[in-house]
Amino acid sequence: MEVIVLGLNHKTAPIEIREKLSFSKSQISYAHKELTRDETIQEVMLLSTCNRVELFTVVTSVEKGVRALKEFLARFHHISLEILDNVSYCYTQKDAVRHLFRVACSLDSMVVGEPQILGQLKEAYNQALEDQSVGSWLVDLVEKSFHVAKKIRTETGICKNAVSISFAAVELAKKIFDKIEGKSVLLVGAGEMSELAARHLLSNGVKDIYVANRTHSRAEELALQFNGQVIPFASLKENLELMDIIITSTSAPHFVFHKEEIQKTLHRRKNRPLFFIDIAVPRNVDPSVSKCADVYVYDIDDLQMVVNSNLLERQKEAKYAEAIVERSVERFWDKMSSENVVPTIVELTQKVEAIRQQELKKAFSKLPNLSDADREVINCLALAITKKVLHDPICMLRKKSSSSNTSHYIQTAKELFNLDGFKRS
Amino acid sequence: MNVAFFLISLGCYFGAVSFHLISLINQRAWARQWGNLLTLSGFILHTLALTVRLWQSGHVPIANLHESLSFFGWAIILLYLLLEYRCKIPSLGAFVLPLALVFVFSASMLPKEIQPLIPALQSIWLGIHTTTSFGGYATFAFAFVAGIMYLIQENQLRSKKIGLFYYRLPSLEVLDDLIHKSLIFGFPLLTIGIITGSLWANTAWGSYWSWDPKETWALITWFIYAALVHARFTVGWRGRRSAYLAILGFCFVLFTFLGVNLLLKGLHSYA
């Protein structure tokens, strides 16, 4: 009973190979069924995303298992085994458990803390359940990985800070206004990035969106999209005092907003803070605007800088996450190996062998005149008896080793043969 | 008995401050929880110490410097616990608890024996005048701390140097709101403190106002906060300017409370 994971990801394989090796939904199902047909492979779950292909498996022997998996991948995707050897990694036992936990918690992702991978893992798991390719071991393992991922999400900040420019803008707005529900947003000019930022603001509770654009029809189109209002470009400045967040992205070659008018606006709005997100290049907001008190101006470079700091912050948090993963791996492994039948079988045979040796010694001391050949016959007789007696219980334990009530059988065997008592003496 | 409780509570506060500083650095929930648990334990013991002292001495335990410093710290911690229970402002404990600890610790360095009350102070006014004044001071301590936190956060946002505090401090609006609320509660308390003091002065010294240094400085402090409240409600002064004034105001509070006692002589010098 060995756990192994064979996989490749964005760090080990270039995109040309990853796309060649990826599986579609129906192919995953086929792979689940095909692989479980192999006698060494007992359980399997296949995860295929644009950044990774991973086979999480429980096998009877590591060597045979790895070979079977590699041969399957090579055959299925018509790729040579040498290439596969170069781009793939293989973890066994505890390392395999650790790898799955790290993948689930998004510690192994391209951007640490991005949550998509957990959803993809859940999908793969459900597919494997449907295909009945996973048994008690993988079910326990994968469920545990979800649990660890959830714990890390709540206890560390690896998913916390924005790692895209448009999200960083929303995050900054929240650092200034706290709750952005009820704040008014003005979009000046239209562009992909400003639309994206507006959409994030909307999903964070902003209700009043205003749109101003030189081309009136485009403004109306956008306003319709966001359920907002159009403001004529000419009367832009008169309406400024209503706004809290202003996203600018016009292609104007000069500044659209200047310090003097902003100063006046501030006075009219009783110095309530004003947040400019200037996504345009060249910039739409005169940099000297940021000298006004209670006005914050972030251009595209500033936002990128925030994103970079956030990535660093995530990396710091990842250290705490790694520690949680390590503890969880240890705990999971201890639990699973205590439920493993092998130690019980070993103890059982040891105990019976000890009894056999002891009884043989007694018998030989009572029969000092035996020839060596006689002794050999008696020895064989004792061995045969103990082997035959033990055969059925051991087979039964092995057979139950992958069922859900393994621990029950282990406990029963220990009690019937008083193995704990034997270990103590 | 009251001294023992007081010293144990001081130990709890030391622990609480350490845990809050740890939580400021590593942002772990457990550090904050331990910090708050210790703050609460310290507060309960401190309350017991004050109650026992009140019962043993027969008067409100705000009659000498040890007692007033201890009460000042106690009031700040009471307000902190209420705030923490209601709105959980990030990193507030790491900023406000050290301040409270400074007061309680200085109190522990002063003579702690219960002294008989001098005749001039034996009055019902003692309780009213001192609790309202110190209640006001403690509330202003929050405006002060929020002002400092505001300036740090605003500096991070304005200079666009996203550092340690950007992630750990609350948003500008929350801090500005905390300054605002502290003023709304603190200013009336200070006003009542001054009025009751004046009424008491009339019964004790025979005149409502005698320009004793404490009175003068209290009045200056009152004017600073009055200006701040006025500017806020009429012109809409907020943010950075508000924060600066809140910090300045608290410096005057400290001088009125401690500086006057230690440096100037006057009618209020009892300690």
Side-chain angles (χ1 to χ4, degrees), chain A residues 155-157 160-161 168 171-172 174-179 183 267 270-273 289-299 302 305-306 308-311 313 316-317 320, chain B residues 22 25-30 90 150 153-174 176 232-241:
Chain A
E155 288 184 15
T156 75
K160 240 189 221 157
N161 300 304
E171 191 183 279
L172 279 163
K174 283 184 173 171
K175 278 287 177 191
I176 296 167
F177 298 111
D178 204 51
K179 291 194 180 64
K183 300 290 179 227
H267 197 69
K270 285 202 165 180
N271 298 314
R272 277 180 294 120
V289 168
S290 65
K291 292 210 179 77
C292 307
D294 305 308
V295 179
Y296 305 89
V297 183
Y298 275 73
D299 62 35
D302 300 330
M305 183 272 311
V306 172
N308 293 345
S309 322
N310 285 355
L311 281 170
E313 188 68 13
K316 276 186 220 156
E317 287 296 310
Y320 295 104
Chain B
I22 290 171
I25 294 162
N26 74 4
Q27 292 177 288
R28 293 307 102 181
W30 58 264
Y150 185 97
Q153 182 67 294
E154 135 102 31
N155 185 44
Q156 302 249 314
L157 284 168
R158 185 166 293 279
S159 69
K160 293 164 188 166
K161 287 196 187 78
I162 302 301
L164 191 84
F165 288 111
Y166 169 79
Y167 298 104
R168 286 153 178 80
L169 291 184
S171 65
L172 294 180
E173 191 169 296
V174 162
D176 193 58
R232 231 191 138 80
F233 282 98
T234 56
V235 203
W237 264 40
R238 54 166 67 233
R240 207 159 23 156
R241 283 172 289 198

Side-chain angles (χ1 to χ4, degrees), chain A residues 11-197:
Chain A
K11 286 174 210 158
T12 64
I15 177 83
E16 304 88 58
I17 296 197
R18 291 203 315 269
E19 63 192 7
K20 225 182 228 172
L21 282 164
S22 77
F23 287 78
S24 70
K25 199 169 178 300
S26 57
Q27 285 173 328
I28 290 177
S29 207
Y30 171 79
H32 280 153
K33 280 167 195 152
E34 187 65 27
L35 282 166
T36 35
R37 220 168 278 153
D38 192 302
E39 58 179 7
T40 50
I41 299 170
Q42 295 180 316
E43 301 179 35
V44 59
M45 180 182 81
L46 171 58
L47 170 72
S48 174
T49 74
C50 51
N51 278 337
R52 61 179 69 246
V53 175
E54 313 251 7
L55 283 156
F56 298 97
T57 56
V58 174
V59 294
T60 46
S61 129
V62 173
E63 221 175 301
K64 282 187 198 159
V66 172
R67 203 184 317 132
L69 292 174
K70 278 191 176 162
E71 275 165 9
F72 171 79
L73 278 181
R75 200 169 61 235
F76 191 89
H77 287 297
H78 310 293
I79 199 164
S80 76
L81 279 170
E82 290 82 63
I83 296 180
L84 204 57
D85 282 338
N86 283 336
V87 298
S88 66
Y89 44 79
C90 179
Y91 299 109
T92 59
Q93 305 296 64
K94 236 191 218 182
D95 297 328
V97 173
R98 182 181 302 111
H99 181 69
L100 174 61
F101 285 5
R102 292 187 73 248
V103 168
C105 305
S106 175
L107 283 166
D108 199 48
S109 301
M110 196 128 79
V111 177
V112 170
E114 283 304 86
Q116 299 98 312
I117 185 66
L118 190 60
Q120 290 161 335
L121 196 60
K122 277 184 181 155
E123 231 168 77
Y125 176 57
N126 286 334
Q127 186 62 49
L129 281 178
E130 205 178 286
D131 299 336
Q132 296 179 334
S133 67
V134 286
S136 67
W137 234 99
L138 275 187
V139 166
D140 277 1
L141 178 63
V142 178
E143 298 266 352
K144 184 72 192 169
S145 77
F146 295 157
H147 182 80
V148 175
K150 197 176 159 207
K151 187 181 164 83
I152 284 179
R153 245 187 110 74
T154 49
E155 288 184 15
T156 75
I158 61 165
C159 311
K160 240 189 221 157
N161 300 304
V163 288
S164 75
I165 295 216
S166 45
F167 266 121
V170 177
E171 191 183 279
L172 279 163
K174 283 184 173 171
K175 278 287 177 191
I176 296 167
F177 298 111
D178 204 51
K179 291 194 180 64
I180 54 177
E181 291 128 25
K183 300 290 179 227
S184 304
V185 176
L186 172 64
L187 291 180
V188 186
E192 204 183 327
M193 193 89 84
S194 59
E195 270 178 60
L196 204 57

Side-chain angles (χ1 to χ4, degrees), chain A residues 194-298:
Chain A
S194 59
E195 270 178 60
L196 204 57
R199 205 156 301 198
H200 290 325
L201 286 167
L202 268 177
S203 64
N204 274 279
V206 166
K207 297 223 166 48
D208 302 319
I209 293 219
Y210 300 86
V211 185
N213 198 45
R214 268 191 216 285
T215 333
H216 193 74
S217 59
R218 178 78 180 115
E220 272 181 339
E221 195 184 307
L222 269 181
L224 200 69
Q225 228 184 86
F226 297 125
N227 208 4
Q229 280 166 268
V230 177
I231 286 182
F233 204 81
S235 64
L236 189 60
K237 277 150 202 179
E238 289 88 80
N239 287 298
L240 269 187
E241 64 176 285
L242 295 173
M243 309 304 166
D244 301 298
I245 300 166
I246 298 168
I247 306 173
T248 60
S249 61
T250 76
S251 49
H254 50 79
F255 296 135
V256 179
F257 295 102
H258 302 274
K259 195 181 168 195
E260 294 71 33
E261 75 222 16
I262 299 300
Q263 199 84 56
K264 274 182 216 145
T265 310
L266 275 172
H267 197 69
R268 269 179 292 168
R269 51 187 275 122
K270 285 202 165 180
N271 298 314
R272 277 180 294 120
L274 200 53
F275 179 32
F276 281 97
I277 303 162
D278 188 0
I279 302 175
V281 179
R283 289 177 292 178
N284 287 162
V285 183
D286 186 343
S288 67
V289 168
S290 65
K291 292 210 179 77
C292 307
D294 305 308
V295 179
Y296 305 89
V297 183
Y298 275 73

Side-chain angles (χ1 to χ4, degrees), chain B residues 84-103:
Chain B
E84 186 70 7
Y85 177 72
R86 281 186 62 94
C87 43
K88 282 216 178 299
I89 296 172
S91 301
L92 181 65
F95 281 82
V96 85
L97 292 178
L99 184 69
L101 180 66
V102 167
F103 295 127

